[in-house]
Structures are given as structure tokens and as C-alpha cells.
Amino acid sequence: MASQNKPSYILKMLNDKIENISTSCNINADTIENEIVYSFGELRSELRKDLEKTMSLIPRFKKSEDLLMEKFHSLEMQLDEVHLICKEFDQLTMLPSMINGMRMMLQETNEKIFDDLRKEEKAPILLRQQQTHSDVQMPKIMSDNWLNLQIEENILDSPMMSNFQMSFDILSIHLRLCLLTFAVFPEEQLIKRKPLIYWWIGEGFITKSGEETFMELIGEGLIQPSHKSLKNPVIYGCTVHPWIHRMLISMARQANFFDLGTTGKATNGYQKSLRFVLDEKLSTNDYHPKGELSAIINMRDKYPSFSKNFFSMNGRIKVLQLGRWQNSHQHYIEIKEAGKLLDKLKMQKQLKYLSLRGISRITTLPSSIVGCQNLEILDLRACYNLETLPFDIGTFKKLKHFDVSECYLLENLPKGLENLSSLEVLKVFVVNPWRKNSCRLASLQNLEKLIKLSINIGIALPARPLLELPPLKPFNLRILIIIWQMRSTSIDKTNKEEERRRLYIFEDVSFPKLEKLDLRCFPDTMLPSWISPENMGNLKRLYIRGGMLETLLPVSEKFNPWNVEILRLNYLKNFRFQESFDVQKEFPHLSYLERINCNRIADGKYDANIEWRLDDGWEMLKSKLGSEGSDGFTSLT
């Protein structure tokens, strides 16, 4: 049942109970008192239970909180009167009119709630986002009315907890294990998919796609998807509702899944769990696990450190997430003598997932790290000081996910990378043929399992083609991201040949399985011939963000429509939909279009931003594109 129908359901339940009382009044007078008193007691009990259930809905129905409380208290008072009347059989004739009055009050309450909801749906997007931000904080500053009901104190002993336990028990074992990991994250925090999925893979919780598992938890209503806007269909993370989060904390403690206090903060001392949570003001010197650890997860520790013999005593670690799980750059992490710590990891023969994401002052990854021969995921994203990788990195035969994106001092990837035969995800491949012992882009064709590739293309390229082995076989990529380093000045005649090489690196390659193409800082005014419907027949998502692009008009007269469903065009100061461009004809399968800060009209002013979904209708999109004029701009100031 959709959450927006729950208040109606609760009111209907109360109405049904009153109906039962009304029906009972037609029974023989000798048995009516017991029936009425029983029904009244059951109704009062159900009222209390459903108030607890309603708590999970209050963040969305904040405006209706006072109304609900007023009506519930009024109902209780009227039920008291019903109870008294039931004991006075000569006054039973008053009961039908009282019940009808209660029914009318319930109906009015129901209509008032949904009238507020309809108004909320029509509110401006920005206003609703502000309300949502406020509502997220609401459970933490609950009104005195709700606190007086002692919901906060009794939630773990309530029927709501029993119902959640039943829902939890019917999940498959892998979903239960994945769900319990949410207990350790701070309440109401946005959690990105990748760190979660990497953790699940490392501990062996999932036997199928991590993305599929993530969507299953959303489908069960156990986590809440996060979108960048109301219309955008792409899910980029999730949150957990406070009440579900608190239940998960209780269940994780009972199962010794984590060593947590009642508030969810990690505890120290003699531990029962085999998962060590790095938190503020905790020291590994005082940590004495019951057995050998399987996972170390950094939640809030900015300066993690480990006792001298910590890793020698714990040689069966599968997950070591020392870096940040947050996506924001403001979460600073630093490890003193990081080189010595990383050198100790060579004894971790069972390590599958290593995350150093966002850790400062790591300049090199020592060769000793290749001792972790079972490593499947190596996440070095945003290690801003990282300059070199081990020359023998190709010995990681089980490595599937390798992320060095945002490592801006890393000038190349070492030769031998093409030997990672299990590699599925590579972020980012640095194109730099000037450096000796650098891996060449053409060599990646040997990675037959590679499905996601990010490429960083520098400013200067040599005259020799980057792909030196024509004819080239098709890549099996599903996702391709290309980032061009932008020049400080526009293209001129002296470097056009160089720009052509930067654009046509895949000129003779086809991408029959590609589903997503993401182009950033695109350096030319038109798309090259290899980016076309003919070459990418399975493409569903096309993102072009930043650069010099001016049009999406095809470079050839041959017409083939795109199969793209999601089109995002952002920060393209020269881009505009020409009058001759028919969006519906070129993109007949389009379900979402986003255009932000495109076509600079004046300093700081651009064409009006557009966010469109298929539900809005093609005519609305054409109207928005056709109505642009001198006043149809968005100001950046």
C-alpha cells in the first residue's frame, strides 16, 4: 500500500471498528454490554498501535500532525461516552447518531489531510525541497504531543517492532545481511550505492548483482531512494527512515553484527562482533575482539591509527574500508605513516575490498600490496597526493573494480594493467603515451570482462594514433565516460590536428553493447562520427556536461534515430536546440530530458533551464524549446 494512502487506511480502520460497535448494538440486550466493552477496548488498543505506525508517516504529513492529534483525542473522548452509554441500556437509542457523527468527523479529517497533500504537490519545487529538508529533522525534534504518547521510549517493545521483525525474517539471508549494514551509518544520512555494494561484495553477502540487491531493498520499502530532483529518474543514493534505522540498530546489537550502543555509536573494549567500526575517540589499543576480524569500517575517524601488532593478530580481514564513505570532499581523513601501514597489509591474504578513498598524504601505493592476491576491489578515489602505482599491478588476477578517479597527480597507469583479466570496472584510465612503461588505450581490448571505463584525455597527444592495432574489435563496454582536459583558450588553426586526434580516438571502434555515454568538457562544436546511433544502437543514457558543443544535429545526412531514454545537457555555454532539430524525431524513446545552463545569452545569463519527463507530454517540451527568446533566460547571479 502506498504511503500516501496510509492515513486513509488508519481512518478507515477506526470507522470499521465503530461499525462493529454499531452492529453489536443490534444484538440481544443480555449480551450487548460484553460485546460493546470488548469492541471498545479493542478499538482503543488499535488506536494506540496505529498511532505508533503513523509515526513513520509523520515526516511527510507534518502539516497534518496537529489535526490528527486533535481528532484522535476527540475520538477517545467520544469513545468514553460510547462506553458509558453501553452501560446504560435505556440510552442505546443515542448510539447510532453518535456513531454517525464520529464517521463524519473521520471523513472530514481524511479530506482535510489529502487536501493538504494536494496543495503540497502543487507547491514550487524549491519550496518542497526546503520543506523536505525541514521534515527530515522533524523526528529528532518531535512535538510534545507525540512524546507524551511515549512512542520514542516504547518503540522497540511495540507491535511495530514485531511487524518489522516479521518483514525482516521473510527476507532472503543475503538481503538480511545487506540490510543490517545500514545500522552503522548515521541517521538520515545520504548513502551512495558504491561503498555499500563494495562492502557487500567483500564480505560475500551477495551472490548476484549489487545493483539488483540495492533495488530489491528499495522495492521492499526498507530504504528510501534519493534523486537529484523530483523529475530525475536516476537513483544516486539512499537514506533510511529514522524508525527503521533504530530498529536495525537493535537487531544488529542482538545479532552481534556490530558492537553498538543504544544510540548506534560504536563501542570499545571486549567485543562480540567480528566487524570493527572506527569511530571518534576509539582506540585499537583497547580493542579485543572475540575472534579474528572480518571487516574494518571507518565511519567517523578522521585520523585512524592502529596498534603495532593489530594486523598480525587479525589476518583474516576481508573488508578494509579506511577511506570515507561520504561523497563530499569536506570529509577529511589522514593516516600518519600511511606507507608503513599499507606495507603491513601484505599479510592480509583474504582481503577482498580495500578502500583508501579520500585519504590525504598517500603518495605511492607500495609494491607489497600485491601480496593481497584475493583483492577484488581497490578504491583509491580522491587520493589527491597519489603519484605512483606498483609496476606489477597486473598480478592482481582477481581484481574486478579499480578506481583511481580524482587522483590528479597520477599521470599514467603502469604497463601490465592489461593483464588484469578479471577487471570489470576501471576509473580512470589516464591517456599519456609520453610516459615510458605506460599502459596504452589499445591494450584495454584484451580486458574482455571490462564493462565500465572512464578515460581522462590530456591536452597534448603525439602524432601517432593512440589505437595502434587496426582493425579494432568492438569493446564490450556498458558504460563509457570520457573527460577531456580543457584549454585555457579556444581552438585555433595551429592545434586543430591535435584536437582531431583527441576527438577521434575511437574512430574505428564500435560499441554495440554501450548503455551509457558520459562526455565531460567536450572540446568541439559537433559530435564526431563515432558517436552516433549507428555505432551505439543500445545506448539508453547520453550525458554531455561542459565544453564547446553547439548542436546535436547529425554530422551526416543519413537519419537514424537514437534509442536514448535519458538525455542530460549541462553547462554547455554555446549549445542550443536549432529550429530544424526535432527532438521527438531524433529521440523517439526519450523519457527524461535535462538542460541546465546552456547557451549563454549575456554575462551570467543562459537559456531557461529545462527538466522534462515523458509524463509532461511532447507538446510541453516543444513549447518550452520554441518559446525561448530574449526573456527566456536563467541568471546565475
Side-chain angles (χ1 to χ4, degrees), residues 4 55 176 259 344 370 401 412 425 453 491 544 555 563 623:
Q4 68 177 15
M55 288 306 300
R176 276 182 272 173
D259 294 299
K344 293 178 181 179
V370 300
H401 300 254
N412 70 304
V425 176
L453 174 63
I491 300 173
I544 307 176
V555 295
N563 289 319
S623 174

Side-chain angles (χ1 to χ4, degrees), residues 7 11 61 64 67-68 109-117:
L11 297 174
F61 301 102
S64 305
L67 176 64
L68 281 171
T109 305
N110 186 42
E111 292 175 357
K112 180 66 171 66
I113 289 174
F114 285 99
D115 182 62
D116 289 342
L117 281 179

Side-chain angles (χ1 to χ4, degrees), residues 372-415:
C372 305
Q373 282 299 299
N374 283 306
L375 198 64
E376 295 183 10
I377 303 163
L378 180 56
D379 186 356
L380 304 175
R381 180 173 182 170
C383 289
Y384 301 123
N385 303 110
L386 185 65
E387 297 179 15
T388 58
L389 296 171
F391 68 90
D392 49 356
I393 195 170
T395 60
F396 283 122
K397 297 301 182 183
K398 295 185 178 180
L399 194 66
K400 296 180 180 179
H401 300 254
F402 184 34
D403 190 347
V404 286
S405 55
E406 299 181 44
C407 296
Y408 301 119
L409 297 183
L410 193 64
E411 295 183 353
N412 70 304
L413 294 184
K415 192 174 182 179

Side-chain angles (χ1 to χ4, degrees), residues 41 56 70 75 84 144-145 166 199 297 301 316 337 339 354 404 410 412 441 465 474 509 513 519 545 595 617:
S56 64
E70 176 187 346
L75 274 173
L84 292 174
D144 292 338
N145 283 335
M166 292 174 61
W199 181 358
I297 306 295
D301 195 348
R316 296 180 179 274
E337 299 182 334
L354 172 61
V404 286
L410 193 64
N412 70 304
L441 189 57
V509 185
K513 298 181 180 180
L519 308 176
R545 295 180 278 183
R595 188 192 67 181

Side-chain angles (χ1 to χ4, degrees), residues 19 34 42 56 58 72 106 136 178 198 220 234 239 274 353 359 377 381 409 471 475 483 489 505 540 573 577:
E19 182 66 36
N34 289 336
E42 186 182 20
S56 64
I58 293 305
F72 280 142
L106 290 173
V136 164
C178 292
Y198 286 163
E220 294 288 342
V234 178
T239 58
L274 301 184
Y353 169 36
I359 298 180
I377 303 163
R381 180 173 182 170
L409 297 183
F475 278 90
I483 306 162
T489 58
I505 57 173
K540 298 295 187 295
K573 62 181 181 180
F577 284 108

Side-chain angles (χ1 to χ4, degrees), residues 287-438:
Y287 188 76
H288 304 285
K290 185 177 180 180
E292 288 200 52
L293 291 173
S294 65
I296 299 175
I297 306 295
N298 188 358
M299 280 290 114
R300 304 175 183 88
D301 195 348
K302 295 181 179 178
Y303 305 98
S305 61
F306 298 88
S307 55
K308 184 177 180 180
N309 299 319
F310 185 87
F311 287 105
S312 60
M313 293 188 299
N314 296 280
R316 296 180 179 274
I317 298 173
K318 295 179 181 179
V319 171
L320 184 55
Q321 186 233 294
L322 298 179
R324 65 174 189 239
W325 54 269
Q326 301 94 334
N327 200 44
S328 172
H329 296 183
Q330 65 183 349
H331 294 278
Y332 180 85
I333 300 178
E334 181 182 333
I335 297 179
K336 292 183 179 180
E337 299 182 334
K340 291 183 179 180
L341 184 144
L342 294 176
D343 191 56
K344 293 178 181 179
L345 297 183
K346 60 188 175 184
M347 62 187 69
Q348 299 300 323
K349 304 300 182 183
Q350 297 190 28
L351 187 64
K352 291 185 177 182
Y353 169 36
L354 172 61
S355 171
L356 305 176
R357 175 180 292 213
I359 298 180
S360 298
R361 300 194 178 184
I362 297 178
T363 59
T364 184
L365 199 65
S367 293
S368 58
I369 198 74
V370 300
C372 305
Q373 282 299 299
N374 283 306
L375 198 64
E376 295 183 10
I377 303 163
L378 180 56
D379 186 356
L380 304 175
R381 180 173 182 170
C383 289
Y384 301 123
N385 303 110
L386 185 65
E387 297 179 15
T388 58
L389 296 171
F391 68 90
D392 49 356
I393 195 170
T395 60
F396 283 122
K397 297 301 182 183
K398 295 185 178 180
L399 194 66
K400 296 180 180 179
H401 300 254
F402 184 34
D403 190 347
V404 286
S405 55
E406 299 181 44
C407 296
Y408 301 119
L409 297 183
L410 193 64
E411 295 183 353
N412 70 304
L413 294 184
K415 192 174 182 179
L417 188 76
E418 65 273 16
N419 296 325
L420 299 176
S421 55
S422 298
L423 199 63
E424 298 175 3
V425 176
L426 175 56
K427 300 169 58 179
V428 166
F429 182 87
V430 182
V431 176
N432 189 351
W434 295 105
R435 292 289 297 268
K436 292 183 178 180
N437 299 318
S438 291

